[in-house]
Amino acid sequence: DGGITQSPKYLFRKEGQNVTLSCEQNLNHDAMYWYRQDPGQGLRLIYYSQIVNDFQKGDIAEGYSVSREKKESFPLTVTSAQKNPTAFYLCAAGRGAGTEAFFGQGTRLTVV
Amino acid sequence: EDQVTQSPEALRLQEGESSSLNCSYTVSGLRGLFWYRQDPGKGPEFLFTLYSAGEEKEKERLKATLTKKESFLHITAPKPEDSATYLCAVNNNAGNMLTFGGGTRLMVKP
């Protein structure tokens, strides 16, 4: 079954804790992305990676960190520095510039 | 800075009532315009890619068109199962990332 797998689907975190969201792809795509979606809004780019061991900040990178040690994996860590972490997080993968990205089913993070 | 504006924010249609969704964009060198469908609580599902003005793509009841300033998603004789949020995104020639609009929430009533 090919595609993008995000886990967990739901995640609860206490204030002050870091949490890591998993994203795995078996599409063999070079580019991977993390987006954040707030209720009733579009998607905002957090980080993206065009190749292994390389990544760039998006529009709202503050309070987040990523790594890209393997082509198929692009985990996102939400740190305690992120002031409003409650949101729906979406991971995507694609072949790169000018091509479509394919999304996972998302992780809903709630800070309690 | 790339900008994507979608209108209307919400659209209510009766089953069979055709209409169009708009996506206006400002981008420094369009490399591609993308349409997605998103159901509540799910990730966006890819629909179409358009590359140049005048291009059209069709899939079932949906047809996407592109001009130099905007794209339209035409929905012909919609059914209740077409109810979803439709997202538009652009990619410029400076990088790989997609810039998204705020989406249009479509509700089709039987």
Side-chain angles (χ1 to χ4, degrees):
Chain A
D1 189 27
I4 316 294
T5 302
Q6 291 187 242
S7 61
K9 187 172 181 178
Y10 299 98
L11 189 56
F12 296 88
R13 189 197 87 176
K14 292 183 179 180
E15 281 193 33
Q17 290 182 337
N18 293 353
V19 63
T20 298
L21 281 60
S22 171
C23 178
E24 302 280 329
Q25 58 116 347
N26 61 6
L27 301 173
N28 200 35
H29 287 335
D30 286 318
M32 295 189 74
Y33 313 84
W34 275 104
Y35 286 89
R36 168 181 173 142
Q37 188 174 36
D38 293 287
Q41 297 189 28
L43 280 63
R44 292 183 291 168
L45 182 66
I46 304 173
Y47 268 98
Y48 68 101
S49 169
Q50 300 181 59
I51 198 168
V52 174
N53 292 322
D54 182 60
F55 47 83
Q56 288 79 40
K57 293 182 179 180
D59 299 322
I60 55 167
E62 185 175 351
Y64 300 98
S65 66
V66 294
S67 63
R68 186 84 186 277
E69 297 178 359
K70 299 185 297 182
K71 186 175 185 177
E72 57 270 23
S73 180
F74 191 41
L76 173 74
T77 297
V78 184
T79 76
S80 56
Q82 169 50 234
K83 299 304 179 187
N84 297 295
T86 295
F88 189 46
Y89 291 87
L90 288 158
C91 177
R95 288 175 285 119
T99 65
E100 60 275 7
F102 298 94
F103 284 83
Q105 289 304 294
T107 293
R108 187 167 301 280
L109 173 65
T110 303
V111 175
V112 296
Chain B
E1 182 178 328
D2 299 344
Q3 289 194 335
V4 181
T5 303
Q6 292 188 245
S7 62
E9 289 186 7
L11 180 62
R12 293 175 182 266
L13 299 174
Q14 287 297 128
E15 184 172 2
E17 180 186 3
S18 300
S19 188
S20 297
L21 282 56
N22 178 264
C23 172
S24 297
Y25 64 89
T26 304
V27 63
S28 56
L30 181 70
R31 187 171 271 181
L33 185 141
F34 309 89
W35 282 99
Y36 289 85
R37 169 193 170 126
Q38 186 178 26
D39 293 303
K42 302 286 183 66
E45 173 190 350
F46 169 71
L47 293 174
F48 304 110
T49 304
L50 300 167
Y51 291 108
S52 57
E55 189 174 0
E56 299 183 353
K57 294 274 180 74
E58 284 189 66
K59 180 180 179 180
E60 296 181 355
R61 295 177 292 282
L62 301 177
K63 183 169 82 172
T65 62
L66 181 65
T67 72
K68 289 186 178 181
K69 294 183 178 180
E70 57 193 349
S71 177
F72 291 94
L73 185 64
H74 306 278
I75 302 176
T76 302
K79 298 182 178 182
E81 53 262 42
D82 294 321
S83 298
T85 295
Y86 291 85
L87 298 168
C88 172
V90 298
N91 175 221
N92 65 32
N93 58 14
N96 286 346
M97 61 288 226
L98 301 181
T99 300
F100 281 83
T104 292
R105 184 181 171 211
L106 174 66
M107 294 155 281
V108 182
K109 301 213 168 186

